[in-house]
Amino acid sequence: MAAFLMRRAIMLAATLLVSSFVVFAGLSVAPGNPLATLSGGRSLPPESVAVLVQRYHLDEPFLVQYVTWLGNAVRGDLGVSITLRQDVSELIGSRSGTTIALILYAALIVLLAGVSLGLLAALRPGIVDSLVVMSTAVVVAVPPFVAAIVLIGIFAVNLRWLPALGNGSGLWDGIRHLTLPAFALAAASTAAVARVTRTTVRAELGREHVQTAVSRGIPYGAVVRRHALRNAAVPISTLAGMTVASMIALAAVVERAFSLNGLGSYLVSAALSKDFAVVQGISLVLVTSFVLVNTLVDVVAAMLDPRIKLGRRA
């Protein structure tokens, strides 16, 4: 376990270093000028321009700017937003709750609906199985932004059951506002988990030791829980964890579609305005979350199957 965690820590540090350099380089060569954001599109006196350029180190070479930012980030200073003139850490903290709630809500949908539909298809061959297979084959190919448009059109515009835009106020209203975004984010992942659950559970039910347990008169429900579902838990949990990790990146699309004040939508806005410090800070948070979720998936897989040795895995 110690060797595994050490390798993952090294991998996280290397990933953060490479990703931060790539993002910083991409922003530096992208069209646009941070001074336009600073001035609000107005013409500024040369003296004011000189002060802004010096304050945000815009006159320094690319590598000098990157090394300066990296040194500050290592000390915990992510800089100041160009557009809002606020500390980046505070801005990230004020918006992270929406993104975390959205991903957790979507992950709950993926686990409950995906595993339930997969079990239903595996245990009910025939028309039920065919319906689940056909519906998941369609949904798994639907991108989150398409799912968002469909859900808004049906449940917000036509039926008017749920709100389409904004974060809401209060716990219950916040959950209502997150429902459509969570389903849009979880749709394709739910279908993928359902298909894998169906395949793995059905394969386990066909194994010799499971058939032996059934022939000995053990209740079928107990056989499914103790043998089929338990042995299928590793691939199911691995895929579910990977899909949850992927939702960290996909959340930006959904947040923009539903006008949620989360990290993803703010990342897009900051990139458009070339707000270097904000883009770098949010990118570090998202990359770190992605690596940590994948590490947790490996740990859970090892707990479910003792044959998996974490110390030997990358």
Side-chain angles (χ1 to χ4, degrees):
M1 175 68 77
F4 167 78
L5 294 178
M6 179 63 67
R7 272 200 293 269
R8 281 306 173 94
I10 296 173
M11 184 185 74
L12 174 60
T15 303
L16 290 176
L17 181 63
V18 173
S19 62
S20 65
F21 182 83
V22 171
V23 172
F24 207 92
L27 285 174
S28 66
V29 300
N33 187 353
L35 285 177
T37 301
L38 290 169
S39 63
R42 303 185 306 271
S43 297
L44 296 178
E47 297 80 7
S48 300
V49 172
V51 171
L52 292 174
V53 167
Q54 183 178 9
R55 178 181 299 175
Y56 293 99
H57 309 284
L58 299 178
D59 57 339
E60 297 177 348
F62 162 74
L63 288 178
V64 175
Q65 293 185 44
Y66 174 72
V67 171
T68 301
W69 173 87
L70 184 62
N72 292 332
V74 171
R75 295 192 296 269
D77 181 10
L78 296 178
V80 178
S81 169
I82 293 177
T83 57
L84 299 180
R85 317 291 201 276
Q86 296 182 26
D87 188 77
V88 173
S89 299
E90 296 178 359
L91 293 173
I92 291 176
S94 64
R95 290 166 171 80
S96 59
T98 299
T99 301
I100 293 173
L102 173 62
I103 293 175
L104 290 178
Y105 196 166
L108 185 64
I109 295 172
V110 170
L111 292 175
L112 293 180
V115 174
S116 299
L117 287 173
L119 277 175
L120 185 64
L123 300 178
R124 295 290 185 271
I127 187 171
V128 174
D129 180 35
S130 299
L131 288 174
V132 171
V133 170
M134 288 188 296
S135 60
T136 54
V138 174
V139 175
V140 77
V142 177
F145 71 90
V146 175
I149 294 173
V150 173
L151 291 174
I152 290 174
I154 296 176
F155 295 101
V157 177
N158 292 333
L159 299 177
R160 298 183 180 180
W161 288 355
L162 294 167
L165 304 175
N167 289 59
S169 58
L171 178 60
W172 174 243
D173 193 39
I175 293 175
R176 293 182 69 249
H177 277 79
L178 284 178
T179 298
L180 289 182
F183 274 94
L185 184 60
S189 299
T190 300
V193 171
R195 293 175 69 86
V196 170
T197 301
R198 169 190 175 274
T199 301
T200 53
V201 170
R202 182 163 292 183
E204 291 296 331
L205 289 174
R207 295 188 181 275
E208 183 177 351
H209 69 280
V210 175
Q211 296 298 322
T212 302
V214 174
S215 64
R216 290 181 176 178
I218 299 177
Y220 191 67
V223 173
V224 172
R225 290 192 304 271
R226 297 175 185 175
H227 299 282
L229 190 56
R230 182 176 181 180
N231 293 334
V234 173
I236 294 173
S237 62
T238 300
L239 176 63
M242 292 173 61
T243 57
V244 171
S246 68
M247 287 191 293
I248 295 174
L250 294 174
V253 177
V254 175
E255 288 177 3
R256 292 286 288 186
F258 290 92
S259 298
L260 296 176
N261 189 24
L263 289 180
S265 60
Y266 189 38
L267 175 63
V268 176
S269 301
L272 293 175
S273 61
K274 300 197 71 172
D275 198 338
F276 287 80
V278 173
V279 174
Q280 286 288 75
I282 296 178
S283 298
L284 289 183
V285 171
L286 296 183
V287 172
T288 302
S289 302
F290 183 86
V291 175
L292 291 179
V293 169
N294 278 283
T295 302
L296 180 61
V297 169
D298 285 341
V299 173
V300 171
M303 294 174 61
L304 293 174
D305 189 350
R307 294 172 297 179
I308 298 177
K309 302 298 182 181
L310 287 176
R312 299 177 184 174
R313 300 185 64 181

